[in-house]
Amino acid sequence: MLTGIWTIGIKVPNLERELEFHQQLGNELVLDETIEFEGESFRIPLIKMGDKYLHLAEKAVYENLLPEPLPFGMTHLVYMSDSLDRDVAKAVAAGAVEICPIANVSAEFGERRVGFLRSPSGWVFEIIEIKTSLVPEV
């Protein structure tokens, strides 16, 4: 079952400027890490904003798998799941399309299984099953 929203992915044209902006607003930089996906490196800082996280990036990790580049702004919601395989299958049965196969991801935030999907109207979302978490709770 989907249990909540973990983070919101946001594509920005200038990561340093966006980090400065969020820090001036009083939001906390929780992690500033670079991860590897599909042979490419992605710097993805994690910002704590109130009771939610924001993942900032100049390019989404799945963007090369889409037919067109993503515009700047919110790129995807990340839903937490207590049963990733079941929730991905349920989303696909409801009309979503998988962008790539479910993957295991380990980084400074911990270990997760992730699925990237696109809804029938085209917006992107991610479903994650957190195996280990190394970030503070919000």
Side-chain angles (χ1 to χ4, degrees):
M1 177 170 75
L2 298 179
T3 60
I5 294 174
W6 186 69
T7 191
I8 299 166
I10 302 173
K11 181 178 175 179
V12 299
N14 183 322
L15 194 51
E16 291 303 326
R17 175 63 187 110
E18 196 70 20
L19 287 171
E20 180 183 315
F21 169 74
H22 279 280
Q23 289 173 329
Q24 288 177 5
L25 289 177
N27 297 330
E28 178 186 353
L29 176 63
V30 177
L31 290 173
D32 190 353
E33 64 182 324
T34 300
I35 64 170
E36 298 288 326
F37 185 77
E38 299 275 318
E40 194 171 349
S41 294
F42 297 88
R43 182 176 172 209
I44 307 176
L46 182 67
I47 303 288
K48 182 179 177 225
M49 181 178 174
D51 67 343
K52 296 288 180 263
Y53 292 115
L54 305 175
H55 255 133
L56 306 176
E58 291 179 350
K59 182 178 178 183
V61 296
Y62 55 84
E63 196 162 350
N64 289 342
L65 303 172
L66 300 176
E68 71 284 332
L70 292 168
F72 295 115
M74 190 186 87
T75 58
H76 68 280
L77 292 175
V78 179
Y79 295 105
M80 295 178 292
S81 170
D82 60 7
S83 180
L84 182 70
D85 296 307
R86 184 180 65 220
D87 286 333
V88 167
K90 188 175 181 178
V92 169
V97 176
E98 287 184 272
I99 294 172
C100 60
I102 292 173
N104 292 308
V105 178
S106 287
E108 290 180 36
F109 55 68
E111 184 179 344
R112 287 143 172 60
R113 291 182 65 226
V114 302
F116 289 100
L117 300 106
R118 203 165 204 176
S119 77
S121 63
W123 64 276
V124 177
F125 61 100
E126 179 181 352
I127 301 176
I128 64 170
E129 190 173 66
I130 298 173
K131 296 299 186 182
T132 58
S133 181
L134 301 177
V135 297
E137 294 296 320
V138 288

